[in-house]
Amino acid sequence: MKLYSFGKWLCGTYFKGTYKPEIIGAENMPKTGGVLLCSNHIHNYDPPLVGVASPREVHFMAKAELFSVPVLKHILPKINAFPVKRGMSDKTALKTGMNLLKEGKVVGLFPEGTRSKTGEIGEGLAGAGFFALKSEAHIVPCAIVGEYQKGKSLKIVFGKPIDFTHFREQKASAKDATELIMKQIGQLKKEHE
């Protein structure tokens, strides 16, 4: 068994037993082709939670600092994570993400770049917009709604892919593209609160 599959089973068992998350809209995830999966970020558990909820394997962009932690640096690549240096334009991370999308894989990222301390949707960074505009990938918004507490409601909502044809034709800016993605995530969150 691949480490990714084992990790998905292990995390899924933990989440089901502890938080009983409700997965909504998994059928909106395209079955084939590159997918940019963009979610809001409220907790350290978000990457494994979204990974468990997704019907397809997800390759997450993770902060580079995690890859210098002794145990994690060996595990993270085996569970499809790749490093990104925060606060700067990381050409290696952008290239890795683009290659994965071209290969028809799912790339998961949190456009806000960091966790929201209030649970409210923050401003997204331009990286998500860059991938959306420069690739032919499907752009799937995802909202984590609720709280990571026993007895509280926790939902993972996958929205329908966003049509980026117009944005690509108009050569929109990465910032504008990211704003559209964040707006869709915010709308999903609002609909399911």
Side-chain angles (χ1 to χ4, degrees):
M1 183 187 269
K2 257 177 70 175
L3 189 59
Y4 184 96
S5 306
F6 176 70
K8 183 169 180 169
W9 171 80
L10 193 65
C11 291
T13 303
Y14 171 71
F15 289 135
K16 280 175 199 155
T18 310
Y19 304 114
K20 298 175 178 48
E22 182 185 356
I23 300 166
I24 300 165
E27 69 280 0
N28 290 325
M29 174 73 77
K31 290 182 172 50
T32 58
V35 173
L36 182 67
L37 180 60
C38 298
S39 175
N40 60 321
H41 199 3
I42 59 171
H43 197 281
N44 284 334
Y45 285 166
D46 294 346
L49 182 73
V50 172
V52 164
S54 171
R56 290 177 61 187
E57 276 193 23
V58 183
H59 297 256
F60 278 107
M61 208 181 245
K63 60 183 180 182
E65 297 87 352
L66 294 174
F67 288 80
S68 58
V69 177
V71 176
L72 288 180
K73 71 179 177 187
H74 299 294
I75 293 173
L76 289 171
K78 291 179 181 165
I79 56 170
N80 298 345
F82 63 99
V84 61
K85 291 175 189 146
R86 297 193 299 175
M88 62 185 79
S89 179
D90 184 343
K91 289 191 172 107
T92 305
L94 293 175
K95 190 176 176 187
T96 301
M98 286 299 288
N99 286 340
L100 288 165
L101 292 171
K102 279 180 192 157
E103 289 166 15
K105 306 266 174 49
V106 179
V107 172
L109 53 85
F110 300 94
E112 293 156 292
T114 189
R115 292 186 313 277
S116 165
K117 290 177 175 64
T118 63
E120 294 305 309
I121 303 279
E123 194 175 322
L125 303 173
F130 170 85
F131 285 126
L133 294 170
K134 300 289 183 193
S135 73
E136 293 296 316
H138 303 282
I139 317 303
V140 175
C142 175
I144 299 166
V145 185
E147 294 177 53
Y148 285 88
Q149 286 183 19
K150 276 189 178 181
K152 296 274 187 179
S153 168
L154 184 63
K155 299 173 189 167
I156 306 94
V157 187
F158 295 98
K160 290 193 168 131
I162 305 166
D163 184 358
F164 260 84
T165 311
H166 178 70
F167 269 66
R168 288 170 182 148
E169 284 169 358
Q170 297 299 314
K171 295 190 171 30
S173 71
K175 186 178 182 293
D176 287 345
T178 298
E179 277 176 15
L180 174 62
I181 293 168
M182 295 310 297
K183 189 177 168 188
Q184 294 290 328
I185 294 169
Q187 211 169 309
L188 280 178
K189 183 176 179 283
K190 198 173 176 184
E191 284 167 10
H192 292 88
E193 280 177 329

